[in-house]
């Protein structure tokens, strides 16, 4: 069978372009002429995508397990991050004709028949070892912080870059005093990857850290509402906030609206995650978009690659984040 490299040479494009066209990557921008040329050459050479090869090999049956703490799925607002990742997992499982056992912690399914396992969330090495105690397969992908990069495949995003995208955007708009609202973070996450620590270190380096405008509570919309109320009552509310995740930001915005404080006229907000509700709030929130659905799909692809190519070395995939500018930030330089 023809290779992607051979098709790329004949089409006079990069191997990456060929791969993304053949795998129907809708986010990839390429001219219709180039796309048709690649597809035509691939057809001529008899190339088959991974999906096509799976459909042809119906006798090969894959059964993957999904493991997570059920508490991460509280409701659709607070847990959209995880719901979106699971959507990506389920979507690609359907495409590849994979049976997905959804949640092995409570499912009481036979684990001996699994060819792969996905662990969703941040857990300590001991907890992960307990998850895998009765599971025979060594094909494991962690979507979250990975405690052992030499042993497990993993998918994650660059937390430091994501937080700095938001802080630097606010500073570019002229905000030097920036408060922080967030939740207690998992102890399993290294300190340098925790959102609060990244915020604190960056603000200290820029001479703008003030512990009195840092508010930490529980995760979720309700906590965001309560923390912003506390900030308002302190009478020392900063002109801008970086908020650690979108559900907390949605709750904080509700508190500001109740108190008749205008966003962004009185307070600017940048949050992180890319929750779909941030486009519907009043005003729509500026956020750092994490490609969560893509992360779930990538986990399935890593398992298939391990199985079919018999890859022995663990792989860590870091996905990029994107600043989505909306109406929740005021440009002070234009005031």
């Amino acid at each position: 069978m023809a290779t992607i490299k051979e098709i790329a040479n004949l089409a006079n494009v990069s191997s990456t372009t060929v791969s993304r066209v053949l795998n129907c990557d809708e986010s990839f921008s390429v001219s219709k002429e180039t796309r048709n040329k690649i597809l035509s050459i691939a057809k001529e050479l008899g190339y088959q995508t991974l999906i096509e090869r799976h459909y042809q090999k119906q006798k090969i049956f894959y059964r993957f397990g999904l493991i997570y703490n059920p508490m991460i799925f509280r409701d659709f607002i607070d847990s959209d991050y995880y719901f979106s990742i699971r959507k990506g997992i389920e979507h690609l499982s359907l495409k590849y004709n994979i049976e997905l056992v959804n949640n092995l912690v409570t499912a009481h399914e036979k684990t001996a028949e699994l060819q792969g396992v996905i662990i969703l969330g941040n857990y300590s090495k001991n907890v992960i070892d307990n998850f895998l105690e009765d599971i025979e397969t060594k094909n494991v992908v962690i979507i979250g912080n990975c405690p052992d990069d030499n042993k497990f495949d993993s998918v994650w995003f660059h937390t430091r870059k994501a937080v700095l995208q938001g802080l630097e955007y606010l500073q570019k708009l002229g905000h030097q005093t920036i408060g922080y609202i967030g939740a207690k973070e998992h102890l399993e996450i290294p300190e340098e990857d925790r959102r609060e620590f990244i915020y604190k270190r960056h603000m200290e380096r820029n001479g703008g850290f003030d512990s009195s405008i840092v508010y930490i509570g529980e995760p979720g919309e309700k906590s965001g509402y309560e923390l912003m109320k506390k900030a308002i009552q302190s009478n020392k509310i900063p002109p801008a906030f970086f908020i650690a995740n979108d559900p907390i930001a949605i709750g904080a915005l509700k508190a500001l609206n109740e108190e008749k404080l205008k966003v962004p006229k009185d307070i600017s907000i940048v949050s992180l995650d890319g929750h779909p509700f941030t486009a519907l709030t009043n005003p729509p929130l500026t956020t750092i978009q994490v490609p969560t659905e893509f992360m779930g799909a990538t986990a399935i692809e890593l398992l298939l690659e391990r199985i079919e190519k018999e890859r022995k070395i663990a792989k860590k995939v870091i996905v990029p984040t994107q600043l989505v500018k909306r109406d929740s930030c005021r440009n002070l330089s234009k005031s």
Side-chain angles (χ1 to χ4, degrees), residues 71-300:
M71 289 299 294
I72 66 175
F73 291 102
R74 291 184 296 274
D75 61 56
F76 282 101
I77 292 181
D78 290 348
S79 305
D80 176 77
Y81 175 86
Y82 290 111
F83 276 115
S84 182
I85 291 175
R86 196 170 73 181
K87 181 181 176 183
I89 293 169
E90 291 170 347
H91 178 70
L92 222 60
S93 294
L94 185 63
K95 272 192 173 183
Y96 289 169
N97 199 35
I98 293 166
E99 181 188 355
L100 192 66
V101 181
N102 184 14
N103 179 11
L104 286 178
V105 173
T106 58
H108 307 296
E109 295 273 352
K110 292 180 181 178
T111 58
E113 299 170 6
L114 295 172
Q115 287 78 44
V117 167
I118 297 171
I119 297 176
L120 178 54
N122 297 297
Y123 309 101
S124 68
K125 187 178 184 300
N126 287 339
V127 170
I128 289 173
D129 287 342
N130 287 335
F131 281 158
L132 301 174
E133 188 176 3
D134 298 321
I135 295 173
E136 294 181 4
T137 181
K138 302 298 181 185
N139 302 319
V140 178
V141 179
I142 296 172
I143 306 179
N145 179 66
C146 181
D148 191 344
D149 288 335
N150 290 317
K151 186 175 182 181
F152 304 117
D153 286 355
S154 63
V155 185
W156 198 223
F157 66 95
H158 201 305
T159 316
R160 182 174 175 273
K161 285 186 178 178
V163 174
L164 293 184
Q165 276 179 303
L167 292 174
E168 289 171 356
Y169 176 64
L170 285 170
Q171 289 171 328
K172 187 178 178 181
L173 296 179
H175 295 280
Q176 298 307 313
T177 303
I178 302 170
Y180 178 89
I181 296 178
K184 299 169 188 173
E185 299 189 61
H186 294 277
L187 295 176
E188 293 76 26
I189 299 176
E191 186 178 56
E192 63 270 17
D193 288 333
R194 295 179 196 171
R195 301 176 192 195
E196 181 189 355
F197 177 84
I198 297 164
Y199 157 83
K200 180 181 176 182
R201 178 64 60 86
H202 179 77
M203 296 307 293
E204 283 175 341
R205 287 173 176 170
N206 287 270
F209 178 69
D210 181 350
S211 61
S212 68
I213 54 174
V214 174
Y215 298 88
I216 306 297
E218 298 301 318
E221 180 187 10
K222 181 182 177 183
S223 179
Y225 174 86
E226 292 169 351
L227 290 171
M228 183 58 84
K229 283 281 190 178
K230 186 177 178 181
I232 295 167
Q233 291 162 7
S234 73
N235 293 319
K236 191 184 177 182
I237 191 164
F241 272 106
F242 179 84
I243 301 183
N245 65 52
D246 290 337
I248 292 177
I250 291 169
L253 185 60
K254 182 180 177 183
L256 289 169
N257 287 336
E258 277 188 10
E259 297 292 335
K260 309 300 182 187
L261 288 167
K262 301 294 184 183
V263 176
K265 182 182 177 182
D266 300 319
I267 297 172
S268 294
I269 292 177
V270 173
S271 56
L272 196 162
D273 278 349
H275 196 299
F277 281 12
T278 56
L280 306 174
T281 54
N282 181 28
L285 288 168
T286 294
T287 184
I288 311 299
Q289 179 86 42
V290 180
T292 44
E293 194 170 333
F294 177 76
M295 289 166 67
T298 300
I300 292 289

